[in-house]
C-alpha cells in the first residue's frame, strides 16, 4: 500500500524552558557532602540534584586521583607503578572505564544470548524510576537492516524544524559515546552526560544482585537514553533499534506513537536467522497492538512475514514509497545517495503520522501531497550523519606543496549496502574527476571540507586520480559476499582500485572511549586481515569461488606492512596504513589519492578520529 501524505498543520506544543548550563558550573565543595538521592517518580528530574548525586563517591565507583598525599583529590597526576607519575583519569575517562566494565566478552552469536532475560529490563526501569515515565513519552521506534539510522536522522531533523524538542538515540557511535544521545540535533554535552550517567550507574550498582545483575553495555546505554529524554522533557523520542527488534533494549516501549521498518537484508544472521523471513520476524517484534507502522518496499519473503505479524496485532501496516525529489524544490537531501530517498520517504510518513496521532494537526495528513511543508524540506535537506557517504580531506595534506589525499567514508557492512556504497563512491569520484559539482560531505566538517576541496582540487585538474580501498569487517561477516559486490559495482562504473589495504580496527571491543586502544605490548592477530587479502587477490585473478578464508595466526611485526602483494597490502595497524597513504601522496604529487573506507562503522570511526585530529 502507498503511504498517501498531505501537509500537516504544524502547531508544536511549547517546550518547557530548560535552564541547565548555570547548574553545570563548578559546584561548591559542600555539594560533595550532599546526601544520596531519593527516588523520584515524577517526570521532572532535577539535573542540579543529579549533579550533586554524581559528586558523591559511592562504593560502586572508584575515584581516581584521590587518596594521595594529604588526601588531595584535585591533583592532576597520579602515582603509577614504581612511583612514576601518570596522568589522572578525567571524569569522562572514569565514566568510560565504568561503561567498559559492562561489555560482555561473550560472542553475540552465542546461542544462550537469545532473549537474554529480556524481563530484566523492566526491573531496571523500576530501579531508575522509568516505569512510569516511559509510557508518557511520545516515541517513534525504527528497526531495519539498512537505513534505520538515516531514517531516524531525517525524522529527528524534520520534527526539530517543526519546532519540537527532540531526543534521538542511535548506535553505534563513531568517535564519542555521546553521539548516541542527541538533544535538539546536538550531541549531549559532557556535563549533562556525566550527571545522568552516574545517577543511573550508581543506582543500578547499588541495587545489583545475583538475580538482577548490572545491565550489559547496550542495555545500559538504552536505559540512559530513556532517563535523559525523560529528564530533558523532550516532545518526541526517536529510537533506533540496536539489533533485531523483539529482544532489543529499546523494545521496552509498549505504546509508541508509530513504528517503522527500513530496508531488510542479510545481516547478523548468526543471531536473527538465515532467511529474510526469520530476519523480518525479529524486526517485526517492535510492532505493538493497534499502533500504526510503516515500511518501505521489501522482498516478497520479508513483506509476507511483516504483513502476517501486523495482522496478528491489528497493526495498520502501510508502505511508504521513496520521496519524490521534485518535492524538495530543487534542493538536495542532506544525506547523499539515491537510496536516501527511500529512507526520506519513510521518515516523512513517520512524521506525518506522529503529528496526526499527537494532535498537532486538524486535517488528515495521510492524503496525497503535491508538495512538502517548508519545515519538512528544511529538515530533509539539513540532516547530517557521520560515517555515511561522508567526504573528508586529510587535514595534514591537501595543499599544493604536500599532495592530495581525500577519504570517502561509508560504514556499509552488508552485501546490499556495499553495492550502494560502491555506487556512491564511483559517482562521487567520477564527478570530482570531471571537475563538476562536489557531492556535499556530511558531518561536522561539511562546510570546511567543501572549502578545502574547492580551494585545492580546483587547482590540480591535470592530476591523475588513484583509488585506494581501506577495508576491514567483522569476522562474522562473509567477505566473499561483501568484496565482490564492492569490486564489481565499482568496475561497472569504470572505477578500479590500484591497491586494497587491510587493517585491524584501532578501537577494541572490550573498552569504550576516545583513547580505547589496544595495549602497545599486545600481539595483534592479523589472520583475519590476511584472509581478507586472499579473497581480494583471488577476485583480482577471477578466482573468487571456493576460497579458504581460514588463516594462520600472525603475531605483530615491527615492519609497517606485514604482507604486500601487487594489488593489496596488510598493515598491522591503522596509523601505519595512514602513514603509508600520506607518504605516497607526498611522494607522488602528480596523483590525487581517493581512499574509500568501508566494511565497518568502527573502522570509519577510527579513521575519523585520526584524520580529524
Amino acid at each position: 500500500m502507498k503511504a498517501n501524505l498531505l501537509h500537516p498543520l504544524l502547531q508544536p506544543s511549547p517546550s518547557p524552558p530548560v535552564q541547565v548550563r548555570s547548574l553545570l558550573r563548578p559546584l561548591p565543595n559542600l555539594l560533595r557532602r550532599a546526601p544520596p538521592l531519593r527516588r523520584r517518580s515524577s517526570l521532572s528530574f532535577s539535573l542540579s540534584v543529579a549533579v550533586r548525586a554524581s559528586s558523591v563517591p559511592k562504593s560502586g565507583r572508584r575515584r581516581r586521583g584521590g587518596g594521595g598525599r594529604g588526601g588531595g583529590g584535585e591533583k592532576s597526576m597520579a602515582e603509577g607503578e614504581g612511583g612514576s607519575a601518570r596522568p589522572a583519569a578525567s571524569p569522562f575517562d572514569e565514566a568510560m572505564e565504568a561503561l567498559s566494565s559492562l561489555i560482555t566478552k561473550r560472542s553475540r552469536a552465542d546461542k544462550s544470548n537469545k532473549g537474554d532475560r529480556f524481563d530484566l529490563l523492566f526491573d531496571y526501569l523500576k530501579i531508575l524510576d522509568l516505569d512510569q515515565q516511559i509510557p508518557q513519552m511520545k516515541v517513534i521506534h525504527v528497526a531495519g537492516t539498512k537505513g534505520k539510522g538515516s531514517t531516524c536522522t531525517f525524522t529527528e531533523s524534520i520534527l526539530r524544524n517543526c519546532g519540537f524538542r527532540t531526543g534521538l538515540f542511535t548506535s553505534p557511535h563513531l568517535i564519542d559515546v555521546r553521539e548516541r544521545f542527541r538533544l535538539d540535533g546536538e550531541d549531549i554535552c559532557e556535563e549533562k552526560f556525566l550527571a545522568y550517567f552516574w545517577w543511573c550507574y550508581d543506582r543500578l550498582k547499588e541495587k545489583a544482585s545475583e538475580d538482577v545483575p548490572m545491565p550489559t553495555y547496550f542495555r545500559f546505554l538504552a536505559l540512559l537514553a530513556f532517563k535523559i529524554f525523560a529528564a530533558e522533557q523532550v516532545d518526541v523520542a526517536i529510537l533506533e533499534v540496536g539489533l533485531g527488534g523483539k529482544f532489543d533494549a529499546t523494545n521496552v516501549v509498549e505504546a509508541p506513537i508509530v513504528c517503522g521498518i527500513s530496508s531488510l537484508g542479510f545481516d547478523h544472521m548468526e543471531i536473527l536467522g538465515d532467511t529474510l523471513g526469520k530476519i523480518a520476524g525479529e524486526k517485526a517484534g517492535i510492532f505493538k497492538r493497534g499502533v500504526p507502522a510503516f515500511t518501505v518496499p521489501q522482498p516478497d519473503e520479508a513483506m509476507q512475514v511483516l504483513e502476517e505479524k501486523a495482522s496478528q496485532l491489528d497493526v495498520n501496516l502501510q508502505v511508504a514509497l521513496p520521496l519524490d525529489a521534485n518535492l524538495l524544490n530543487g534542493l538536495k537531501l542532506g544525506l547523499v545517495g539515491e537510496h536516501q530517498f527511500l529512507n526520506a520517504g519513510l521518515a516523512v510518513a513517520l512524521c506525518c503520522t506522529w503529528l496526526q496521532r499527537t494532535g498537532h494537526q486538524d486535517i488528515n495528513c495521510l492524503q496525497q501531497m503535491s508538495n512538502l511543508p517548508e519545515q519538512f524540506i528544511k529538515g530533509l535537506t539539513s540532516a547530517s550523519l557521520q560515517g555515511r557517504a561522508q567526504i573528508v580531506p586529510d587535514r595534514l595534506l591537501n595543499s599544493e606543496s604536500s599532495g592530495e589525499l581525500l577519504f570517502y567514508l561509508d560504514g556499509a557492512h552488508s552485501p546490499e549496502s556495499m553495492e550502494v556504497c560502491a555506487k556512491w563512491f564511483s559517482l562521487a569520484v567520477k564527478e570530482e574527476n570531471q571537475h563538476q559539482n562536489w557531492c556535499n560531505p556530511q558531518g561536522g566538517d561539511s562546510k570546511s571540507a567543501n572549502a578545502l576541496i574547492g580551494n585545492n582540487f580546483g587547482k590540480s585538474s591535470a592530476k591523475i586520480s588513484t583509488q585506494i580501498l581501506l577495508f576491514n569487517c567483522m569476522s562474522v561477516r562473509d567477505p566473499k559476499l561483501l568484496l565482490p559486490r564492492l569490486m564489481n559495482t565499482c568496475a561497472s562504473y569504470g572505477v578500479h582500485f590500484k591497491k586494497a589495504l587491510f587493517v585491524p580496527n584501532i578501537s577494541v571491543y572490550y573498552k569504550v572511549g576516545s583513547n580505547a586502544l589496544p595495549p602497545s605490548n599486545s600481539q595483534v592477530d592479523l589472520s583475519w586481515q590476511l584472509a581478507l587479502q586472499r579473497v581480494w587477490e583471488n577476485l583480482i585473478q577471477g578466482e573468487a569461488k571456493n576460497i579458504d578464508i581460514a588463516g594462520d595466526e600472525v603475531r605483530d611485526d615491527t615492519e609497517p606492512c606485514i604482507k604486500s602483494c601487487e594489488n593489496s597490502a596488510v598493515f598491522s595497524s591503522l596509523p601505519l596504513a595512514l602513514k603509508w597513504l600520506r607518504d605516497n601522496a607526498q611522494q607522488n604529487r602528480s596523483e590525487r589519492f581517493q581512499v574509500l573506507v568501508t566494511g565497518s562503522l568502527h573502522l570509519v570511526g577510527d579513521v575519523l578520529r585520526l584524520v580529524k585530529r
Side-chain angles (χ1 to χ4, degrees):
M1 290 178 289
K2 181 178 180 181
N4 299 316
L5 308 176
L6 185 67
H7 295 278
L9 288 181
L10 306 172
Q11 301 293 335
S13 59
S15 301
V18 181
Q19 298 178 350
V20 174
R21 286 196 173 276
S22 61
L23 299 175
L24 294 173
R25 293 170 182 164
L27 300 174
N29 288 333
L30 62 90
L31 291 184
R32 295 184 179 277
R33 297 190 294 272
L37 274 177
R38 293 181 180 179
R39 291 191 183 183
R40 297 190 173 195
S41 57
S42 64
L43 181 63
S44 176
F45 174 76
S46 171
L47 183 59
S48 60
V49 177
V51 172
R52 288 200 297 271
S54 69
S55 301
V56 180
K58 294 189 178 183
S59 58
R61 180 157 20 129
R62 183 175 64 208
R63 304 291 300 185
R64 287 197 172 188
R69 186 174 299 175
E74 305 300 324
K75 298 177 69 176
S76 61
M77 301 292 288
E79 188 172 320
E81 295 181 5
S84 59
R86 58 174 172 78
S90 69
F92 188 79
D93 288 337
E94 184 185 357
M96 293 303 95
E97 182 179 355
L99 181 58
S100 298
S101 71
L102 304 180
I103 299 177
T104 176
K105 304 296 192 298
R106 186 174 50 177
S107 168
R108 293 189 313 178
D110 189 331
K111 298 302 181 182
S112 62
N113 267 355
K114 185 156 188 175
D116 211 16
R117 294 191 62 192
F118 184 76
D119 58 299
L120 277 176
L121 284 161
F122 296 96
D123 292 321
Y124 300 141
L125 296 183
K126 291 180 180 179
I127 293 173
L128 299 177
D129 298 333
L130 286 168
D131 52 326
Q132 299 300 317
Q133 296 177 355
I134 288 180
Q136 299 178 48
M137 293 184 185
K138 296 178 173 60
V139 171
I140 296 176
H141 202 188
V142 182
T145 304
K146 302 163 294 179
K148 61 181 184 292
S150 298
T151 298
C152 288
T153 298
F154 280 131
T155 301
E156 185 278 331
S157 186
I158 290 171
L159 293 177
R160 172 163 41 86
N161 279 279
C162 289
F164 295 99
R165 180 158 173 75
T166 59
L168 173 64
F169 176 61
T170 60
S171 60
H173 64 273
L174 297 182
I175 299 175
D176 191 319
V177 72
R178 295 180 297 116
E179 298 166 22
R180 296 173 182 250
F181 316 93
R182 306 196 85 188
L183 296 170
D184 291 330
E186 300 290 337
D187 299 348
I188 187 172
C189 68
E190 185 172 311
E191 294 88 347
K192 283 187 180 183
F193 174 81
L194 291 175
Y196 292 129
F197 178 92
W198 286 119
W199 192 90
C200 292
Y201 187 90
D202 287 342
R203 276 208 167 190
L204 290 165
K205 192 75 172 178
E206 181 182 357
K207 298 294 183 181
S209 65
E210 185 175 346
D211 292 332
V212 184
M214 284 291 285
T216 52
Y217 173 72
F218 183 80
R219 287 185 173 185
F220 177 84
L221 293 176
L223 293 166
L224 179 57
F226 287 124
K227 175 53 73 176
I228 291 171
F229 296 159
E232 294 292 323
Q233 300 183 49
V234 299
D235 296 316
V236 55
I238 301 106
L239 307 178
E240 178 192 0
V241 167
L243 193 155
K246 183 177 181 180
F247 295 119
D248 189 75
T250 61
N251 207 31
V252 295
V253 177
E254 297 180 321
I257 301 300
V258 62
C259 296
I261 305 287
S262 64
S263 298
L264 298 180
F266 292 101
D267 197 15
H268 302 298
M269 293 181 289
E270 75 280 7
I271 299 174
L272 305 180
D274 55 1
T275 68
L276 279 179
K278 292 178 181 178
I279 292 172
E282 290 293 324
K283 306 292 185 180
I286 68 169
F287 289 167
K288 302 300 187 298
R289 183 169 296 280
V291 174
F294 289 86
T295 189
V296 297
Q298 304 281 8
D300 291 341
E301 180 183 358
M303 185 62 76
Q304 182 179 351
V305 173
L306 293 179
E307 291 173 345
E308 290 174 356
K309 296 290 185 180
S311 178
Q312 294 168 8
L313 294 171
D314 193 26
V315 168
N316 179 19
L317 176 64
Q318 298 186 60
V319 176
L321 295 181
L323 182 73
D324 184 350
N326 293 322
L327 297 178
L328 296 176
N329 296 339
L331 300 176
K332 294 183 179 181
L333 287 176
L335 305 184
V336 177
E338 290 184 12
H339 62 290
Q340 294 295 356
F341 286 95
L342 196 64
N343 301 324
L346 178 57
V348 168
L350 294 173
C351 289
C352 285
T353 302
W354 187 89
L355 288 164
Q356 181 188 45
R357 298 197 75 218
T358 54
H360 291 289
Q361 59 178 35
D362 58 6
I363 61 173
N364 183 5
C365 70
L366 293 182
Q367 296 177 2
Q368 181 64 42
M369 288 195 304
S370 58
N371 51 28
L372 283 173
E374 179 182 346
Q375 296 92 329
F376 275 47
I377 294 175
K378 186 175 181 181
L380 290 167
T381 57
S382 63
S384 64
L385 185 61
Q386 283 200 115
R388 281 79 166 180
Q390 182 179 5
I391 304 174
V392 178
D394 186 0
R395 288 184 173 179
L396 296 184
L397 298 180
N398 292 313
S399 69
E400 285 188 287
S401 60
S402 61
E404 295 180 10
L405 179 60
L406 192 64
F407 293 94
Y408 296 72
L409 303 115
D410 192 277
H413 50 267
S414 70
E416 297 85 357
S417 59
M418 195 63 65
E419 187 172 334
V420 171
C421 166
K423 182 177 180 181
W424 161 73
F425 174 69
S426 300
L427 293 176
V429 162
K430 290 172 73 71
E431 187 175 15
E432 185 268 309
N433 292 339
Q434 294 169 359
H435 310 288
Q436 296 175 355
N437 293 329
W438 276 87
C439 293
N440 179 33
Q442 302 304 315
D445 290 339
S446 297
K447 293 182 180 179
S448 61
N450 268 329
L452 188 56
I453 291 166
N455 291 339
N456 295 322
F457 282 53
K459 300 176 183 179
S460 54
S461 59
K463 287 196 173 184
I464 300 171
S465 64
T466 298
Q467 289 79 47
I468 304 289
L469 173 65
L470 183 58
F471 188 91
N472 191 33
C473 68
M474 295 176 61
S475 59
V476 295
R477 309 197 191 282
D478 188 350
K480 291 185 289 184
L481 296 178
L482 300 180
L483 291 174
R485 287 279 190 104
L486 175 64
M487 178 185 290
N488 294 336
T489 302
C490 286
S492 69
Y493 287 90
V495 173
H496 303 275
F497 294 101
K498 183 176 181 180
K499 197 93 169 178
L501 312 181
F502 301 98
V503 296
N505 294 341
I506 292 181
S507 53
V508 291
Y509 74 97
Y510 57 84
K511 192 171 179 62
V512 187
S514 58
N515 296 318
L517 307 180
S520 58
N521 61 347
S522 67
Q523 290 188 340
V524 179
D525 180 6
L526 297 173
S527 57
W528 179 246
Q529 283 67 43
L530 290 168
L532 296 176
Q533 183 185 41
R534 285 198 300 275
V535 173
W536 184 262
E537 288 292 335
N538 280 282
L539 281 172
I540 295 290
Q541 299 167 18
E543 300 172 7
K545 296 182 179 180
N546 300 320
I547 303 170
D548 180 14
I549 62 173
D552 297 329
E553 185 171 320
V554 177
R555 62 179 180 83
D556 193 6
D557 200 319
T558 56
E559 293 297 325
C561 182
I562 298 300
K563 184 178 180 181
S564 179
C565 301
E566 181 181 355
N567 306 296
S568 62
V570 172
F571 287 85
S572 59
S573 73
L574 177 58
L576 290 174
L578 291 182
K579 183 180 184 303
W580 183 89
L581 286 167
R582 286 165 173 161
D583 289 346
N584 273 271
Q586 289 177 320
Q587 295 166 10
N588 300 277
R589 296 177 185 175
S590 63
E591 293 187 55
R592 178 185 302 119
F593 287 85
Q594 300 163 316
V595 183
L596 174 61
V597 183
T598 191
S600 164
L601 275 168
H602 298 289
L603 175 63
V604 167
D606 291 340
V607 171
L608 280 172
R609 186 183 297 117
L610 294 175
V611 170
K612 286 190 170 186
R613 279 182 178 174

